[in-house]
Amino acid sequence: MVVSVSPNGGSTPPPPPPPQQEQANKDRFTKPISLAGPTDSDLHRNTELEKFLVDSGLYESNEEAASRQEVLRHLDQIVKSWVKQLTRQRGYTDQMVEDANAVIFTFGSYRLGVHGPGADIDTLCIGPSYVNREQDFFIILHNILAEMEEVTELHPVPDAHVPVMKFKFQGISIDLLYASISILVVPEDLDISDGSILYDVDEQTVRSLNGCRVADQILKLVPNVEHFRTTLRCLKFWAKRRGVYSNVTGFLGGVNWAILVARICQLYPNAIPSMLVSRFFRVYSQWRWPNPVMLCPIEENELQLPIWDPRRNHRDRYHIMPIITPAYPCMNSSYNVSTSTLRVMMEQFCCGNKICDEIELNKSQWSALFQPYVFFEAYKNYLQVDIVALDADDLLLWRGWVESRLRQLTLKIERDTHGMLQCHPYPHEYADTSKPCAHSAFFMGLQRKEGVRGQEGQQFDIRETVDEFRQEIISYGYWKPGMEIYVSHVRRKQLPAFVFPDGYKRTRMPRHINHATEKMGDDTRKCYSGSSSSERCVKRKNNSEMVDVKPDKPEKRTSVSPQRLECVSPESCTSKSGGTPQMSIECIEGVRQDGSTTEDVDSNCKIKSSDGLLGSGAITEVGDMQINGTGFVGSTHDKLKSKALEVLNENGVNGDKARDLAFVCLERAETTSTKSLANWEEGAVGMDQQLDKACNFTRAECSDYAPSASTQNLNCETDVRLRSV
């Protein structure tokens, strides 16, 4: 239980700040960058954007909206009846039984008003103090729902960070949480934003309540709710198309995107959605993580619940991309983000920024922004995680557990290779329907870290890493016979056919340049090639040894046997030395460079293939070669600062766009490591204030000074592969 401090006794909490100071704190967080409204061109682009969203099917029909409301009414009646039944069974008076109540709240995309057709509804049931989660919710209410014909795919997850019961009610997906608050009778008009609701509740209840409290607070803090909703709907669609929408995989989920969009709405209060989308990419493509994104000052309360504070909490200092929830207790909603997934997202932010520039210059259309990310052409090497079970019901449970742990595999690979082997987990799920058993598969792209001098014959032995991951997976408390996981290495040419449901079609253009970008400018072409450094990407494209597929000759894909799962089973894998069974990763021995010799653009370091394993001394050397993962490199920052001063002296101020770009002219590199966040609040405020400075930069000038580590090139990689025994 979280022990709360009574206002009338115990230790005395620090006095709250005076009203004037509190208002000043809020003002400095909400001070806008620009008050400019839309021009005629902005209005025209906004009309086109809204039409595109409608044509893309992002809005539900009136019939589906009515069905959702009916399901919520029915669910509300069920939980009310459930609480009355428990009250009667426990011997309370007739009056108490009559007054017994539970209420249903919604949160997430449904509460924010940005849900689409077929989306689930995040719901929270709040009940009285004598109705608990472990027995009453996950057993008694679970059994009530299981007996109802309207309920299908019932899946309780009591051990989750936020315990949840998942099911479909009349075909509509429901995620139901439960919170037992410290009152005997729950009023129908309960104010969930009142801080007193958090008295004498456990941490799981605090987390369950936080979803609704955060959603309500976000809607209160944005200047225009409708503009916020349209912009958020657009950005969520973009994130899903580009493969960066998944909190469980290490990217960002719904609440993360909502907070990011809400912050842009605060900075541009008079902007319409077409402007807000452009500003979103402009700001976050240059944001200097781990500076936190916050909608309001972090609140402290007499309850003394844990809040995000890297000055006091050691763990908070290692958060890579902090996005702080606005409701007490303020938490980092993006703690799942890793170095690898931040790199991928920053790459995509830069990509979106360049396309929006083309749209503003009338050189492209909104459809170009939402082109799907061609993941299976992005890398030469992949990890394939196959999940199998005896039937679909078992697979539903098993897959949910494995997917929730995939982020750990990314973190372990980063840890054991000292960040030199970069992973790109792809949040999409695939299935091989030709298998006799229920099957699901996830993939991770692999590449050697860019911009770091490589060693000749360097390899990464990740056998123990994957074995450690597998041991954690098979410790699943609800494991059943037939539930298996196989992790194997596949090269691009060996990708299974089931990941190409529409047939395998190799793009004829150089890597990652979509057909939709043929009419775009050079910057957008570079964006689709995945480059964070235009010069490097251009050089590598011109190097025939670096391009995996020639533009004029599509590459043939080697067919894969449908029996590949058997060949990666633990029993079929034996080591050469002792014949001892190895873990199910096709006995991966290491990651090494291909036979081709390539030249690193930055270091002129030639990388050749070798069969030798990476020894401990080499690992230490690899660790020494790591570069800063966030912020600007010092010398680059100095060049940028000098360049900004020159431009300012010669050309003066260039309006709103200059203000948008101004924080690349910061006079010092603030908080380049999460270990130095002592002044994180001031740094975050300074970030917003620096946006007001005017630096008359052109796009080309700014792209030359892109962050060297946080926006690493996704696609112009050296040829990395895993060696199988």
Side-chain angles (χ1 to χ4, degrees), residues 618-629:
I619 291 176
T620 303
E621 187 170 348
V622 169
D624 293 337
M625 289 193 295
Q626 287 187 327
I627 60 176
N628 184 14

Side-chain angles (χ1 to χ4, degrees), residues 309-357:
D309 187 352
R311 298 169 301 181
R312 303 174 185 173
N313 306 324
H314 184 264
R315 290 186 177 181
D316 293 346
R317 300 175 189 177
Y318 296 95
H319 290 172
I320 294 175
M321 190 183 189
I323 301 173
I324 311 304
T325 56
Y328 179 81
C330 300
M331 305 175 182
N332 177 23
S333 61
S334 53
Y335 58 88
N336 278 349
V337 174
S338 68
T339 302
S340 290
T341 52
L342 175 61
R343 172 183 60 86
V344 174
M345 286 187 285
M346 289 299 294
E347 178 75 20
Q348 294 303 321
F349 289 157
C350 291
C351 175
N353 185 38
K354 292 176 181 178
I355 296 176
C356 284
D357 281 348

Side-chain angles (χ1 to χ4, degrees), residues 162-218:
V162 181
V164 60
M165 194 142 54
K166 298 173 176 286
F167 56 92
K168 285 187 176 181
F169 196 101
Q170 296 179 355
I172 295 177
S173 296
I174 302 289
D175 285 356
L176 180 62
L177 313 182
Y178 179 71
S180 173
I181 59 177
S182 57
I183 56 177
L184 291 177
V185 178
V186 179
E188 194 68 26
D189 59 348
L190 177 68
D191 182 8
I192 199 172
S193 63
D194 190 339
S196 63
I197 200 173
L198 301 175
Y199 277 108
D200 295 322
V201 298
D202 59 29
E203 292 183 3
Q204 290 179 321
T205 299
V206 172
R207 289 194 289 266
S208 299
L209 291 167
N210 207 33
C212 295
R213 290 166 54 83
V214 166
D216 288 350
Q217 193 70 5
I218 289 174

Side-chain angles (χ1 to χ4, degrees), residues 93-325:
T93 64
D94 292 343
Q95 183 62 44
M96 190 70 174
V97 172
E98 182 180 347
D99 293 339
N101 190 33
V103 291
I104 291 290
F105 287 88
T106 61
F107 62 101
S109 62
Y110 187 83
R111 174 68 183 94
L112 293 174
V114 294
H115 61 286
D120 60 357
I121 305 178
D122 296 312
T123 57
L124 168 68
C125 173
I126 298 182
S129 57
Y130 56 86
V131 177
N132 62 58
R133 181 187 299 106
E134 294 76 13
Q135 178 72 23
D136 300 330
F137 180 73
F138 277 112
I139 295 180
I140 297 177
L141 181 59
H142 172 273
N143 293 338
I144 292 174
L145 294 173
E147 295 174 357
M148 301 180 65
E149 293 182 357
E150 300 94 334
V151 176
T152 58
E153 299 182 20
L154 184 59
H155 176 209
V157 192
D159 299 327
H161 186 66
V162 181
V164 60
M165 194 142 54
K166 298 173 176 286
F167 56 92
K168 285 187 176 181
F169 196 101
Q170 296 179 355
I172 295 177
S173 296
I174 302 289
D175 285 356
L176 180 62
L177 313 182
Y178 179 71
S180 173
I181 59 177
S182 57
I183 56 177
L184 291 177
V185 178
V186 179
E188 194 68 26
D189 59 348
L190 177 68
D191 182 8
I192 199 172
S193 63
D194 190 339
S196 63
I197 200 173
L198 301 175
Y199 277 108
D200 295 322
V201 298
D202 59 29
E203 292 183 3
Q204 290 179 321
T205 299
V206 172
R207 289 194 289 266
S208 299
L209 291 167
N210 207 33
C212 295
R213 290 166 54 83
V214 166
D216 288 350
Q217 193 70 5
I218 289 174
L219 293 176
K220 291 178 182 178
L221 290 173
V222 295
N224 188 307
V225 173
E226 289 305 316
H227 290 171
F228 162 76
R229 285 173 171 165
T230 302
T231 307
L232 179 56
R233 191 183 297 272
C234 175
L235 268 302
K236 287 180 64 176
F237 181 51
W238 171 85
K240 292 175 182 178
R241 298 284 282 180
R242 302 302 293 175
V244 291
Y245 188 96
S246 174
N247 181 61
V248 68
T249 312
F251 294 104
L252 301 182
V255 66
N256 311 128
W257 293 106
I259 295 173
L260 291 182
V261 171
R263 186 67 186 128
I264 299 301
C265 292
Q266 289 180 335
L267 297 176
Y268 301 90
N270 297 325
I272 58 178
S274 63
M275 300 168 63
L276 292 171
V277 170
S278 175
R279 272 56 172 185
F280 178 93
F281 291 114
R282 189 175 299 166
V283 170
Y284 290 121
S285 64
Q286 302 172 78
W287 192 269
R288 297 173 63 180
W289 306 103
N291 281 312
V293 172
M294 296 183 288
L295 302 181
C296 58
I298 290 182
E299 175 187 355
E300 297 195 26
N301 191 289
E302 66 271 11
L303 295 177
Q304 296 184 357
L305 296 173
I307 61 174
W308 186 83
D309 187 352
R311 298 169 301 181
R312 303 174 185 173
N313 306 324
H314 184 264
R315 290 186 177 181
D316 293 346
R317 300 175 189 177
Y318 296 95
H319 290 172
I320 294 175
M321 190 183 189
I323 301 173
I324 311 304
T325 56

